[in-house]
Amino acid sequence: MSTQALRESPNLGVLYPKAVVAGFGKKGGRELPDRTYLRQSVPVDPAHLAAYNRVCEFRLGNELPVTYPHMLTFPMQVKLMTDPDFPFPLIGSVHVANVITQHRPLLVNEKFDLRVHVENLRPHPKGRQYDMISEVVVGEEVLWHEASTYLCRGGGSDDSAKSSESGPGQRGELPAPSAVWKVPGDIGRRYGDVSGDRNPIHLYGLTAKLFGFPRAIAHGMWTKARCLAAFEGRLPDAYTVDVRFKLPVLLPGKLGFHAEQVGADWKFDLFDARKPKPHIEGLITAL
């Protein structure tokens, strides 16, 4: 696999319009790009971190929330997904799972090397899926690793494993909520301003309807971050958090959150507080 160094973070304001136009011509190829994008010695902007913490409801502090490095690597992911040789369209791809492993807390005054590549193209009952891999490295040590699984619908295989849609710690009936959160209608725009992820499905009802949604939907990574904010002060320094995204959160919304400790681990669910519809199944596992 080749490595291509980037001097600066890719410009999402340029890449998203490119994704909309280029997506119409992408039909789904047989191979993923065989390269890694690399940024070296990347600092954290404390003002940006503070804005992220506010919109996701993390406390302000010197440690980065476990989901924050996604902000640093996401523009590199989008660049890879909008390159001419990437076989699937970015707009319309569905984020179905996200697994993050943190080996120790990352600090706001550190500088990091960032790496992004894509791997593991495989069949899915509803199409094909692949893993976008992001890493935060200091020296030769990988301190943070993320696998974001995306589904491109169409041409699914009934022979693919049904477990491809399974979640961590399969649930039966949804539990009673331990907390109820009201999610405002503008959270997609607010998170989009911080993350740069201005996919039209998250911004306004009108733009979301163009892609088949009745209303704008919340970003999956905002819902994951909001859940993890509820665990602050209760998690170890090193752990893995595995989340499966189920049904989208329509905005505005009213969500039920439930967490249950099992030994050193935590299971959690996020669901519609009015109807028995799951949004997230999650499992936090201590390392």
Side-chain angles (χ1 to χ4, degrees), residues 150-277:
Y150 288 90
L151 166 65
C152 186
R153 297 183 185 274
S157 170
D158 293 334
D159 296 330
S160 57
K162 292 182 179 180
S163 61
S164 63
E165 290 190 298
S166 64
Q170 284 295 295
R171 315 299 198 268
E173 293 185 3
L174 291 172
S178 52
V180 176
W181 304 332
K182 292 183 178 180
V183 183
D186 67 346
I187 197 66
R189 296 190 293 277
R190 289 169 53 201
Y191 183 82
D193 288 343
V194 171
S195 67
D197 184 355
R198 295 184 176 87
N199 189 319
I201 63 175
H202 302 301
L203 303 181
Y204 299 97
L206 183 61
T207 55
K209 287 179 180 177
L210 296 175
F211 296 91
F213 296 97
R215 304 200 302 272
I217 65 173
H219 295 73
M221 289 304 294
W222 177 85
T223 61
K224 179 171 183 173
R226 180 64 187 88
C227 289
L228 287 166
F231 288 99
E232 280 195 303
R234 293 186 283 175
L235 298 180
D237 288 343
Y239 60 93
T240 293
V241 52
D242 183 344
V243 155
R244 306 298 156 126
F245 301 112
K246 299 299 183 176
L247 298 174
V249 175
L250 298 177
L251 301 174
K254 189 175 183 180
L255 304 179
F257 173 78
H258 175 85
E260 176 184 355
Q261 190 167 16
V262 182
D265 303 336
W266 288 90
K267 293 180 179 180
F268 62 96
D269 295 89
L270 189 69
F271 46 89
D272 192 310
R274 299 183 178 93
K275 302 176 183 178
K277 293 183 177 181

Side-chain angles (χ1 to χ4, degrees), residues 22 30 54 58 62 65 88 90 128 138 141 143 149-150 165-166 175 187 197 205 211 235 268:
R30 295 180 178 273
R54 284 192 294 270
F58 288 106
N62 291 326
F88 304 107
L90 171 60
R128 305 179 81 190
V138 172
E141 185 179 6
L143 300 180
T149 301
Y150 288 90
E165 290 190 298
S166 64
I187 197 66
D197 184 355
F211 296 91
L235 298 180
F268 62 96

Side-chain angles (χ1 to χ4, degrees), residues 29-107:
R30 295 180 178 273
E31 296 183 357
L32 296 170
D34 186 29
R35 64 178 168 279
T36 296
Y37 281 133
L38 168 69
R39 291 188 65 212
Q40 294 179 295
S41 194
V42 177
V44 174
D45 179 353
H48 182 263
L49 174 62
Y52 176 83
N53 286 352
R54 284 192 294 270
V55 77
C56 298
E57 302 197 26
F58 288 106
R59 296 187 301 232
L60 300 179
N62 291 326
E63 294 184 3
L64 305 186
V66 70
T67 49
Y68 183 76
H70 180 83
M71 297 293 96
L72 302 178
T73 59
F74 182 69
M76 301 164 68
Q77 296 178 28
V78 174
K79 175 173 174 51
L80 188 57
M81 295 168 76
T82 54
D83 282 347
D85 61 345
F86 198 84
F88 304 107
L90 171 60
I91 305 299
S93 293
V94 182
H95 195 181
V96 295
N98 181 272
V99 183
I100 293 174
T101 297
Q102 172 182 282
H103 293 282
R104 70 154 172 85
L106 307 181
L107 304 179

